Amino acid sequence: MAFYNCTGLKNVTISSSVLTIAANAFTNCTSLNSIFIPSSVTDIGNGAFLNCSGSINVDPGNQKYSSLDGVLFDKQQTKLLQCPSNKTGDYYIPSSVNIIGSYAFYFCSGLTSINLTYSINTIQYFAFGYCTGITSIMIPSSVTSFEGYIFYNCSGMNSLTIQNREPLDLSNNTVAFQGLDQTTCKLVVPFGTSALYSAAKQWKDFVNIEEMPEFKLSATTSVIPVTGGTDNINLTTGLTWTASSNKPWLAVNPSSGNGSCTIILTAQPNPTVGIRAAVVNVSAV
């Protein structure tokens, strides 16, 4: 808490002799233009830059931490540690991130949306606290750990979408939605699962639980011979959708549509001796 509540502080130089930035060291430094973390720093305490404005920049030579677009991560960018409070608009979490850390977006009231990727498996305590500008958020099906107070005082949220077909077990987490108004925030769940959510602990406390429209694939994996060829996947939906492949050797046809359709996957011959894989993303528009 060395600079706790130093609201007039605008510039800080951290010398290369510094090894540790302890917990809450710069909390509520709401006037900082930016802060630079040298390569010498090996330990940053919890909430060190909580509600701290200005971009957080890390020396590329630092072996423990990194930064991207002013946001603080661990070195491998598998854990998002802190987003500065002056971020505005839409924020897309990098696809390398597995964990959204405690207080990661706390007091980021200028953000209007946070887009989570399917690489994320853990969301820690108070991750989106006081993100008052966010009206809706989607939790991908990859998330298996959901800690407490995640949406604390997210007063603008009117819709929470969860993609897991089985409700996450929150029987040991009595404060998962503490600070979120479950009487006004709608819970949107996968097609055919509203009964499960209406019976599950804490999920059932949402007054309004709605199902997504049906959006179903006949298969979620496909194997095409090394010599190339095609495979068909049937999509059942009443929605407008798009489909794309992340590899140039796998074509998807059609790439968009409205309503149910047979999607044809066409793979070029494999010139290598190893197994190759592509990901096809089919999304409602």
Side-chain angles (χ1 to χ4, degrees), residues 51 72 122 145 157 190:
N51 197 23
L72 178 66
T122 301
S145 179
M157 267 191 62

Side-chain angles (χ1 to χ4, degrees), residues 46-246:
N46 196 32
F49 303 105
L50 184 65
N51 197 23
C52 187
S53 65
S55 61
I56 304 169
N57 303 296
V58 181
D59 188 313
N62 191 295
Q63 297 301 303
K64 190 76 178 289
Y65 300 99
S66 64
S67 59
L68 180 65
D69 296 329
V71 179
L72 178 66
F73 299 85
D74 66 349
K75 183 62 176 179
Q76 292 75 32
Q77 296 188 354
T78 57
K79 184 174 183 178
L80 193 155
L81 297 170
Q82 190 70 66
C83 180
S85 60
N86 66 341
K87 276 280 187 184
T88 60
D90 300 339
Y91 182 73
Y92 291 81
I93 295 176
S95 59
S96 59
V97 173
N98 304 138
I99 301 170
I100 300 175
S102 298
Y103 301 96
F105 292 95
Y106 209 67
F107 283 117
C108 290
S109 57
L111 288 175
T112 52
S113 72
I114 301 174
N115 297 275
L116 283 67
T117 67
Y118 288 92
S119 61
I120 296 168
N121 54 50
T122 301
I123 304 175
Q124 295 183 331
Y125 287 96
F126 291 100
F128 305 113
Y130 287 93
C131 286
T132 54
I134 293 176
T135 57
S136 64
I137 199 166
M138 186 276 290
I139 307 298
S141 56
S142 56
V143 173
T144 57
S145 179
F146 198 80
E147 297 183 359
Y149 302 98
I150 289 174
F151 304 106
Y152 190 74
N153 204 30
C154 288
S155 57
M157 267 191 62
N158 54 42
S159 177
L160 171 63
T161 299
I162 184 85
Q163 290 193 331
N164 302 69
R165 294 198 61 82
E166 291 283 339
L168 293 175
D169 183 6
L170 300 178
S171 56
N172 294 322
N173 180 359
T174 59
V175 292
F177 300 109
Q178 190 76 28
L180 179 68
D181 191 344
Q182 289 173 277
T183 65
T184 59
C185 182
K186 174 176 62 179
L187 178 65
V188 182
V189 300
F191 182 80
T193 66
S194 58
L196 293 175
Y197 279 88
S198 295
K201 287 186 176 180
Q202 295 206 68
W203 299 104
K204 66 181 180 181
D205 296 331
F206 283 89
V207 172
N208 187 3
I209 300 178
E210 293 185 4
E211 292 185 358
M212 305 173 196
E214 186 174 16
F215 197 83
K216 182 180 179 181
L217 294 172
S218 60
T220 55
T221 60
S222 175
V223 178
I224 298 176
V226 67
T227 53
T230 63
D231 192 18
N232 296 343
I233 303 292
N234 294 320
L235 170 64
T236 304
T237 185
L239 302 174
T240 301
W241 53 271
T242 61
S244 62
S245 167
N246 71 337

